[in-house]
Amino acid sequence: NRHAMAKEKINRFIQGHFHGHYDFDMDKVLYFFIAGRYEYSNKGADVFIEALSRLNFYLKEINSAVTVVAFLIFPARTASFNVESFRGQAIVKGMRDTCKQIEQDIGNRMFELCLQGRIPEGKDILRQEDVVQLKRCVYGTNRTHLPPICTHNVIDDSKDPVLADLRRCQLFNNRSDRVKVVFHPEFLNSSNPLLPMDYEEFVRGCHLGVFPSYYEPWGYTPAECTVLGIPSVSTNLSGFGCFMEQHIEDPASYGIYVVDRRYRSGEESVQQLAQFMFDFTQLNRRQRIILRNRTERLSELLDWKNLAIYYRKARLAAVSATHPALFKDSVREVGGAGVGTGKGPSSIILSRPLSAVASPMGSRASTPHHSNPGSDDEGDTGTGAGAVSSEDEVDEDAERAELSSRSN
């Protein structure tokens, strides 16, 4: 429910930002995002943008009805908000207020006519002055230029790495593009006049967090996504990605996609990320809900009662190195303080979810089955390749119990 409420706020921003080019179905829009310090290569923004370009090509090739809106949230030097962004929000707000007023007037007229014993007809409900007001609103949304790719006026934007790469990949929010981009060069907060949302609420409203970091000692952003029940993409060069690979047999089945940037070339890593995102777009709504439920159940692994042991072991190892005399009688204990001793959370290995359908060896890491073409109904189980096992409805308690018992 919180995901749906937060997503509605993002929907309102998107309706204003893309007015005049708003030709996509909001029920088939997916929100991807990347956020963090503006360390362009370390955070993997270069890989993300390149993968988005390929995802755009894949979706256009299959004539997909899905539209992906990718948010890039990095604090950069800005002069002010983009006037065009404000104008779009104002135009759509005016149209929304006009429609609400007409809706209220129509309801009053229908009530009066029914009270008089008459059946309302079209001309009695929608009057000519209402049509004139609606025409003014529709004409006001027309624009001759493309929606902006940035919400702010960035200082020296010709040298900004994100904008430079978006131009190189030709991600300009064209009407034909199935991947739209929004660069928000400022951290989110509830007092933001364009997108008044806190970061946590924004994450709740998104569908996938993408963090293909080249260097990340741990990585709080994918961990926050996990706790909030949002699937995420990480790498095996980040602490979070390595941790999940060590403790989960098939991370992708839990909504944790790990890109291999350690043993693969840059080109192969980009291709793998693009494939992960494309596979995610092929899931229907019900399958995404199942995946979010599985992801949120992993928060047990990230509980402080499990992670604190690593901090204690690291401190003991540091103190024993600087003050060995204090540990003469406990050398063996301190020496075994590293990760992987078979005690505590390091010994937890989660198997694939009980409800996940088995896949042949050698195939890609599994996610819920791909949906049937055009199927995005939450209650549609489908058949064949798009089917979702009924076990997803009955085995969640068993999975939760298994996770809890292994954590303990």
Side-chain angles (χ1 to χ4, degrees):
N1 290 337
R2 281 184 284 181
H3 167 75
M5 291 186 291
K7 186 176 71 172
E8 184 58 32
K9 290 187 178 182
I10 303 177
N11 287 347
R12 291 200 171 198
F13 167 79
I14 292 301
Q15 289 168 346
H17 192 81
F18 290 93
H19 79 90
H21 290 261
Y22 181 71
D23 59 344
F24 41 86
D25 184 0
M26 292 303 294
D27 288 334
K28 295 185 180 295
V29 172
L30 300 179
Y31 296 130
F32 295 178
F33 79 98
I34 183 173
R37 296 185 302 275
Y38 204 173
E39 300 173 7
Y40 186 65
S41 297
N42 279 349
K43 296 297 182 183
D46 52 347
V47 174
F48 182 45
I49 293 174
E50 182 64 35
L52 285 176
S53 177
R54 301 186 186 194
L55 175 63
N56 187 39
F57 173 77
Y58 295 159
L59 294 177
K60 288 196 290 187
E61 278 292 297
I62 65 173
N63 196 24
S64 175
V66 174
T67 299
V68 173
V69 178
F71 289 89
L72 298 96
I73 303 174
F74 296 112
R77 297 176 60 215
T78 60
S80 61
F81 283 99
N82 190 329
V83 174
E84 187 61 28
S85 296
F86 270 127
R87 179 175 177 271
Q89 300 299 328
I91 289 175
V92 172
K93 183 179 183 301
M95 175 181 285
R96 185 178 292 112
D97 293 342
T98 299
C99 290
K100 283 184 178 180
Q101 184 59 51
I102 293 176
E103 178 185 356
Q104 184 177 354
D105 293 343
I106 288 176
N108 292 335
R109 293 179 201 133
M110 290 177 64
F111 175 75
E112 291 291 338
L113 291 172
C114 292
L115 198 61
Q116 297 171 12
R118 298 168 51 192
I119 300 298
E121 297 181 0
K123 62 180 180 180
D124 298 324
I125 298 176
L126 190 64
R127 296 179 178 176
Q128 186 61 32
E129 53 265 29
D130 297 333
V131 176
V132 171
Q133 282 185 306
L134 291 174
K135 284 184 178 180
R136 288 175 180 172
C137 292
V138 172
Y139 293 150
T141 61
N142 291 336
R143 69 185 346 169
T144 57
H145 51 276
L146 297 175
I149 60 176
C150 185
T151 58
H152 293 60
N153 295 317
V154 177
I155 297 175
D156 203 5
D157 67 336
S158 61
K159 297 181 180 179
D160 183 85
V162 166
L163 294 177
D165 251 13
L166 290 176
R167 296 186 186 109
R168 179 183 63 81
C169 294
Q170 298 185 6
L171 292 173
F172 296 131
N173 293 335
N174 285 301
R175 187 180 291 269
S176 60
D177 288 338
R178 291 302 89 203
V179 174
K180 318 288 185 179
V181 292
V182 178
F183 177 33
H184 191 279
E186 188 178 87
F187 284 136
L188 297 174
N189 59 77
S190 57
S191 61
N192 189 314
L194 275 180
L195 190 56
M197 302 178 70
D198 290 327
Y199 178 73
E200 179 179 338
E201 186 181 18
F202 173 78
V203 173
R204 279 277 189 192
C206 290
H207 298 90
L208 182 69
V210 185
F211 314 102
S213 303
Y214 188 71
Y215 171 74
E216 194 81 67
W218 171 241
Y220 281 107
T221 42
E224 290 164 349
C225 285
T226 302
V227 173
L228 296 174
I230 303 301
S232 63
V233 179
S234 186
T235 72
N236 56 1
L237 288 180
S238 70
F240 178 84
C242 292
F243 180 84
M244 287 300 181
E245 283 191 321
Q246 290 172 3
H247 293 78
I248 304 176
E249 181 182 328
D250 183 10
S253 62
Y254 284 92
I256 307 295
Y257 303 94
V258 181
V259 175
D260 185 0
R261 297 198 66 181
R262 185 185 298 271
Y263 303 109
R264 296 193 181 190
S265 66
E267 168 64 23
E268 291 173 326
S269 297
V270 170
Q271 186 67 27
Q272 186 182 23
L273 175 58
Q275 188 65 54
F276 280 155
M277 295 192 294
F278 177 76
D279 290 343
F280 188 85
T281 63
Q282 301 308 294
L283 304 178
N284 63 27
R285 182 178 299 171
R286 183 163 182 259
Q287 292 165 337
R288 293 196 300 269
I289 291 173
I290 292 171
L291 201 60
R292 283 202 300 272
N293 291 338
R294 292 178 186 169
T295 302
E296 192 163 6
R297 289 199 293 272
L298 291 180
S299 57
E300 287 280 347
L301 279 178
L302 304 177
D303 193 283
W304 181 249
K305 67 183 180 184
N306 291 327
L307 295 185
I309 188 173
Y310 295 115
Y311 289 85
R312 291 195 293 268
K313 287 181 177 181
R315 180 180 179 276
L316 283 175
V319 173
S320 65
T322 56
H323 300 81
L326 299 176
F327 294 88
K328 285 183 179 179
D329 298 331
S330 56
V331 174
R332 182 175 300 178
E333 178 183 351
V334 176
V339 177
T341 59
K343 298 178 181 180
S346 60
S347 63
I348 301 173
I349 302 295
L350 294 181
S351 59
R352 298 176 72 252
L354 301 177
S355 57
V357 181
S359 58
M361 293 296 292
S363 64
R364 286 198 305 269
S366 65
T367 61
H369 277 313
H370 291 175
S371 61
N372 290 326
S375 173
D376 199 32
D377 184 5
E378 182 175 341
D380 180 22
T381 58
T383 57
V388 179
S389 171
S390 61
E391 295 179 2
D392 286 304
E393 300 177 357
V394 299
D395 285 335
E396 290 185 357
D397 292 338
E399 290 181 18
R400 188 180 297 107
E402 178 193 10
L403 181 61
S404 178
S405 63
R406 289 176 183 266
S407 299
N408 294 330

